[in-house]
Amino acid sequence: MKTSIISLSILGVSLLPAATASAQLIDPGMPEHLFTLGVRAGLNTSNLNINKDIFNGWNVNSWGTGFELGVVANINLRNFLTLQPGFFYESRSGNYAYDSEFITYWGAGAQEMPVFENITQLGHYRNYHFTVPVMVQFRLALAPGVTWSVEAGPYFSWLLHSKHGDTILYQEESYPGVVGALLEAEPNRYDFGFQFGTGIHCLRYLYLGVHYKAGARNVWNREALGGRHKIWSVTAGIDF
């Protein structure tokens, strides 16, 4: 029993510096400024897709590059906790290649015959979005003047302009003896999802971060096509 008590005491003493260091990482004090602003600029790579079973040939969507510019509003609830809404102008791009065989019928009655048509769609798109993320940011003090943050929250995005030159063609689901119509699809004008990220703050005003957006709404205005937005971004900025 005496040996156990001595062992626990030694363990407690050995863990005390680690516990103290952990406590020092989290600063629960009130911030010097409740409200601050920041500007952000960076590059992104994005992808949007279509359900794999829509096309029976190619269904390829490549990752493209873009940029983003914006501002963030830091509502500093504690030194370790910040609510951060942001307002960003984003450019996203990518290439696509779709290929499928469609069935149409010619003639009437006994003369009616199926005709198989192959449609290949190749192209490049460049879309511009206005995006509003609302992040909860948790900060750890790594060193004097240096903090590390992790953050998460929802985002909302509106398509402002698209240089997508072609609409996407696809055929509705066909049943035996019935041929689905050939339909056109365009990107939805509104999207929402979740954003996750991490960053480093230096000297209280310099910032560098990495984020990922996972779209939660269908990319296309036709339910059958499905698809989701996926965006990685690297941004740098200054807080005031």
Side-chain angles (χ1 to χ4, degrees), residues 29 37 66 96 146 160 167 210:
L37 291 173
Y96 61 89
V146 180
L160 301 176
T167 55
V210 179

Side-chain angles (χ1 to χ4, degrees), residues 8-168:
L8 289 175
S9 299
I10 294 173
L11 179 62
V13 171
S14 64
L15 291 178
L16 184 60
T20 303
S22 176
Q24 290 175 344
L25 288 175
I26 301 175
D27 182 357
M30 293 298 294
E32 182 179 352
H33 302 286
L34 174 63
F35 182 80
T36 58
L37 291 173
V39 294
R40 301 286 185 266
L43 301 175
N44 65 45
T45 179
S46 61
N47 180 281
L48 53 83
N49 55 28
I50 289 180
N51 285 341
K52 291 298 183 182
D53 57 354
I54 290 296
F55 299 113
N56 54 26
W58 302 334
N59 188 345
V60 180
N61 296 269
S62 70
W63 289 78
T65 58
F67 66 86
E68 45 191 74
L69 302 170
V71 296
V72 296
N74 300 300
I75 304 172
N76 303 303
L77 305 177
R78 288 288 190 274
N79 284 333
F80 73 92
L81 185 63
T82 296
L83 178 63
Q84 187 186 79
F87 307 90
F88 286 83
Y89 178 73
E90 297 179 346
S91 164
R92 307 176 192 170
S93 72
N95 298 313
Y96 61 89
Y98 307 134
D99 179 81
S100 190
E101 192 175 67
F102 297 94
I103 304 174
T104 58
Y105 281 81
W106 291 89
Q111 303 298 319
E112 187 177 58
M113 297 184 61
V115 177
F116 296 90
E117 299 184 30
N118 186 271
I119 297 181
T120 300
Q121 304 172 78
L122 305 172
H124 174 81
Y125 65 86
R126 170 73 64 180
N127 295 336
Y128 299 91
H129 297 255
F130 175 64
T131 302
V132 179
V134 182
M135 311 300 291
V136 176
Q137 190 176 83
F138 184 80
R139 299 188 182 188
L140 297 176
L142 301 181
V146 180
T147 60
W148 169 47
S149 66
V150 291
E151 55 194 58
Y155 79 84
F156 309 89
S157 186
W158 292 265
L159 178 62
L160 301 176
H161 176 62
S162 176
K163 292 184 179 179
H164 182 284
D166 304 310
T167 55
I168 300 304

